[in-house]
Amino acid sequence: MTVLEADRLSADSNRRRDPISSRGAARADTVLAVEGLTVGTGRADLVIDVSLDVRAGETLCLVGESGCGKSLTCLAAMGLTSEPLIRKSGRISFLGQDLSLLRENQLAEIRGRDMAMIFQDATAALNPVRRVGMQIAEVLVVHRGLTWSQAMKQAVELLASVGIPDPAGRANAYPHQLSGGMNQRVMIAMALACRPKLLIADEATTALDVTTQVQILKLMKELQAETGAAMIFVTHDLGVVAEIADRVAVMYSGRVVETATVDDLFERPLHPYTRGLMACRLHATTTSHGRIAAIEGTVPSPSKRPEGCSFRPRCPYASDECMALPALRPIAGIYGADQHRAACHFAEDFARAGS
Ligand SMILES: Nc1ncnc2c1ncn2[C@@H]1O[C@H](COP(=O)(O)OP(=O)(O)OP(=O)(O)O)[C@@H](O)[C@H]1O
Ligand code: SF4
Ligand SMILES: [Mg+2]
């Protein structure tokens, strides 16, 4: 049995065992819809024509190598891009509301109350001059109307739930007094505190040891089952994807190149880049930084993308046709008709070949 098959089997049996699994919890109501988003600087486009949506109770995983535009897509979805980044086109709607029509104070209110993002670098994201317990409690006071004493009590409970030993003592610590992994857990506790309708987790658990990672993924799924939150989860770890995703979007060089239900994607990846990622997983080739390493070559710099398909210099199937940019289009899926999309000129051929 391959590593991937083992991942899928284990994830499937976990879902059967685990009633809080996010699979099957998806509902028709869209929480976040991103349409045709392009973000860049004056010099280059960094996220290009990205469209994504995520529904209540659903988990969308974003995968791709370093520099593919996953974090920028998440930041733009939260309305958090700033100089030198410019949103050049696209529409982002949250619960049906166009975010570009809101004033900054309205946006800030939605961000604090209804959307939460767990950043890659928690230590940088936390306030260095406030005790971590106070930072969590503040969210509860401002957005959930608790008194300070109720909020402090709940902050300690939240710290315990993300696996922080001596949570009452640690609540009094400043971020610089805690390790990077501890701060990551504080940040997760803070994000869960406001019970957001949309939770964006950007490599949120990558820095944690496996036991804590499992504990926190379980906690996030519990919260999701309880609140019906939509979740966007950025990860390089296809094992985590198999465990928690309902749908997956694969990004390469600023674009979404394939999107499908998790079952479709694992059973029949259609884009050569996705197949490369899967092969990396099979050969367990991640770097010491946890990045996907083994597709030969590197992601092109945004200012030096090759003409046509950006994956062309690394693609074993590249031909003259690939000098033209392939459109992301529906390819009949195995499990979800019309849900499988791929941006490769030969995706239909790969689908027919059943490989
Ligand atoms: N503030 C910025 N100004 C200019 N370029 C930026 C900025 N932030 C990101 N970039 C560039 O945009 C591209 C996408 O970056 P992004 O951080 O979204 O990648 P990522 O997929 O999240 O990578 P990683 O897996 O390393 O986190 C990269 O080429 C990066 O260098
Ligand atoms: S369009 Fe061509 S270069 Fe791009 S992934 Fe498909 S086969 Fe490879
Ligand atoms: Mg990133």
Side-chain angles (χ1 to χ4, degrees), residues 70-71 120 202-203 234:
K70 306 178 297 294
S71 295
Q120 248 169 318
D202 187 356
E203 303 272 12
V234 178

Coordinates of all heavy atoms in Angstrom, one line a residue, residues 70-71 120 202-203 234, ligand 3:
K70 N -0.1 31.5 -1.4 CA -1.1 31.1 -0.5 C -1.4 32.1 0.6 O -2.5 32.5 0.8 CB -0.7 29.7 0.2 CG -0.3 28.7 -0.8 CD 0.2 27.4 -0.2 CE 1.4 27.5 0.7 NZ 2.7 27.8 0.0
S71 N -0.3 32.6 1.2 CA -0.5 33.6 2.3 C -1.1 34.9 1.7 O -2.0 35.5 2.4 CB 0.8 33.9 3.0 OG 1.3 32.8 3.6
Q120 N 1.4 32.5 10.1 CA 2.5 31.6 10.1 C 3.5 31.9 11.2 O 4.0 31.1 11.9 CB 3.3 31.8 8.8 CG 3.2 30.7 7.8 CD 3.8 31.0 6.4 OE1 3.5 32.1 5.9 NE2 4.5 30.1 5.9
D202 N -3.0 29.7 8.5 CA -1.9 29.7 7.5 C -0.7 29.0 8.1 O 0.0 29.6 8.9 CB -1.6 31.2 7.2 CG -0.6 31.2 6.0 OD1 -0.1 30.2 5.6 OD2 -0.2 32.4 5.6
E203 N -0.5 27.8 7.8 CA 0.5 26.9 8.3 C 0.5 27.0 9.9 O 1.5 27.0 10.5 CB 1.9 27.4 7.8 CG 2.1 27.4 6.3 CD 2.5 26.1 5.7 OE1 2.5 25.1 6.4 OE2 2.9 26.1 4.5
V234 N -4.2 26.5 5.2 CA -3.0 26.4 4.4 C -2.0 25.4 5.0 O -1.6 25.6 6.1 CB -2.3 27.8 4.3 CG1 -1.1 27.8 3.4 CG2 -3.3 28.9 3.7
Ligands
MG3 MG 2.8 31.6 3.3

